[in-house]
Amino acid sequence: MFLISAEKFSLWKKKQLSKGGDNHSLNLLLESLGGLSNIELNLLKINLEKNLNFKVNLDLIESFWDKHLNTSIPIQYLSGISFWRNLKLEVSNRVLIPRPETELIIDIISGIFKNKEEKITFVDLGTGSGAISIALALENPNWNGIATDIDKNAIKIASRNFATYSNQSNLKFYNGNWWDPLKNFKGEIDFAVSNPPYIPQDTYEVLPIEVKNFEPKLALLGGQEGLDHINQIVQNAPLYLKNKGWLLIENHFDQGEKVKKLFLENRFTSVKVLKDFSGIGRFTIGRYK
Ligand code: GLN
């Protein structure tokens, strides 16, 4: 442990921010590497008498900060940690950094399946770091989850993330493209969820460098219009879902209506586009027949 006075720390922090970057990113680094929570950081403003306990010394944190400023590598990849809902997940540049808007998926699903005793089989297609499937499996120990990803490294990371939180076996990870690893589960899935790559080509080209240069293209680019993978997922869903089974897909800010049409063309019913916290039609949901 490294004990540092609040006053000394405040000066250090000012110096770091004067070099560039933003407060949110610096706080994230302090939390990931230094073990300092946001609450502690906020309390500092009213209590300058206090001493702070860091897991590593400030020079080390500064060296990571400088690297972030010089290279634009996201803090999460530098620290190898991403916070998502109540989880602290291992990430590397083989998986997308899980986004805050995606957190809402867990609440939407909890709102549909209110009876916690019900035995549910769910799938998370393109699980990446495992965020969605792990949150669902931990909150619902009665459910059985299957998470797939085309990248073997993502499967390794997601499996490790689940093992950090659980010694249960109610979530299994399979390497393969979308539904491909689920050949033995045809007609057995109560609900499927996916946050697939949906960024259109033109948008992808102009993404901020922190995203474009470091996050996996495989997890972001959805072809010319961004809908290539969503198309594949929706078209194959009827083979795997139970009668009345649910499909929920995250989409780009302006794709809601197009994805809704796709659901309807594939004989889904009760199709709706749900908004995220910014009021964007971010999730399309429907039932197979
Ligand atoms: N929401 C992510 C972004 O804006 C994209 C995630 C995705 O393509 N599934 O970078």
Side-chain angles (χ1 to χ4, degrees), residues 96 99 101 195-199 207 211 215 219-221 250 252 282:
L96 193 81
R99 305 288 200 268
E101 59 270 26
N195 174 17
Y198 53 65
I199 306 286
L207 283 176
V211 179
E215 297 205 64
L220 288 163
L221 183 62
E250 180 176 318
H252 205 30
R282 177 70 70 188

Side-chain angles (χ1 to χ4, degrees), residues 1-4 33-36 40 52-57:
M1 278 296 181
F2 296 82
L3 201 67
I4 290 147
L33 282 189
L36 216 74
E40 282 174 281
L52 293 165
N53 256 321
F54 288 85
K55 279 202 227 151
V56 297
N57 71 38

Side-chain angles (χ1 to χ4, degrees), residues 109 120-127 132-133 136 144-148 171 178-179 182 185 188-194 240-241 246-248:
I109 291 169
I120 294 286
T121 304
F122 74 91
V123 300
D124 173 19
L125 304 172
T127 198
I132 298 173
S133 59
L136 290 170
N144 269 311
I146 301 157
T148 72
L171 179 60
W178 305 129
W179 299 96
L182 293 157
F185 296 90
E188 289 180 22
I189 308 300
D190 290 283
F191 77 83
V193 58
S194 184
Y240 297 90
L241 292 177
W246 295 81
L247 176 64
L248 187 162

Side-chain angles (χ1 to χ4, degrees), residues 12-203:
W12 177 89
K13 202 171 171 207
K14 255 197 203 116
K15 177 180 154 207
Q16 305 314 316
L17 289 172
S18 73
K19 295 190 249 176
D22 60 84
N23 192 41
H24 173 76
S25 301
L26 184 55
N27 282 352
L28 191 60
L29 185 62
L30 286 162
E31 186 171 9
S32 310
L33 282 189
L36 216 74
S37 73
N38 252 317
I39 302 173
E40 282 174 281
L41 287 168
N42 285 330
L43 277 178
L44 262 192
K45 288 177 198 141
I46 45 175
N47 188 3
L48 275 175
E49 312 290 293
K50 219 176 157 279
N51 282 321
L52 293 165
N53 256 321
F54 288 85
K55 279 202 227 151
V56 297
N57 71 38
L58 287 180
D59 290 343
L60 184 70
I61 301 180
E62 181 165 7
S63 69
F64 275 80
W65 183 243
D66 290 341
K67 187 156 187 201
H68 168 67
L69 296 178
N70 292 332
T71 62
S72 299
I73 299 175
I75 298 287
Q76 290 92 335
Y77 289 155
L78 287 174
S79 67
I81 292 167
S82 177
F83 297 98
W84 193 83
R85 284 181 76 91
N86 53 351
L87 303 172
K88 185 175 170 184
L89 299 167
E90 172 193 338
V91 290
S92 81
N93 63 359
R94 302 306 292 255
V95 298
L96 193 81
I97 297 166
R99 305 288 200 268
E101 59 270 26
T102 307
E103 294 185 0
L104 205 54
I105 288 181
I106 310 302
D107 302 300
I108 296 171
I109 291 169
S110 298
I112 295 174
F113 298 96
K114 292 202 180 75
N115 176 4
K116 294 278 169 192
E117 300 310 311
E118 214 179 329
K119 287 250 175 253
I120 294 286
T121 304
F122 74 91
V123 300
D124 173 19
L125 304 172
T127 198
S129 63
I132 298 173
S133 59
I134 293 170
L136 290 170
L138 293 177
E139 284 181 28
N140 304 283
N142 269 328
W143 295 6
N144 269 311
I146 301 157
T148 72
D149 203 287
I150 196 164
D151 189 314
K152 277 201 181 81
N153 293 289
I155 290 295
K156 281 188 198 149
I157 291 171
S159 311
R160 279 203 293 272
N161 278 327
F162 184 54
T164 303
Y165 284 98
S166 175
N167 51 18
Q168 304 290 107
S169 56
N170 68 326
L171 179 60
K172 303 256 175 2
F173 297 90
Y174 293 103
N175 177 223
N177 195 31
W178 305 129
W179 299 96
D180 288 354
L182 293 157
K183 297 275 183 264
N184 293 333
F185 296 90
K186 286 185 180 152
E188 289 180 22
I189 308 300
D190 290 283
F191 77 83
V193 58
S194 184
N195 174 17
Y198 53 65
I199 306 286
Q201 185 75 49
D202 293 355
T203 312

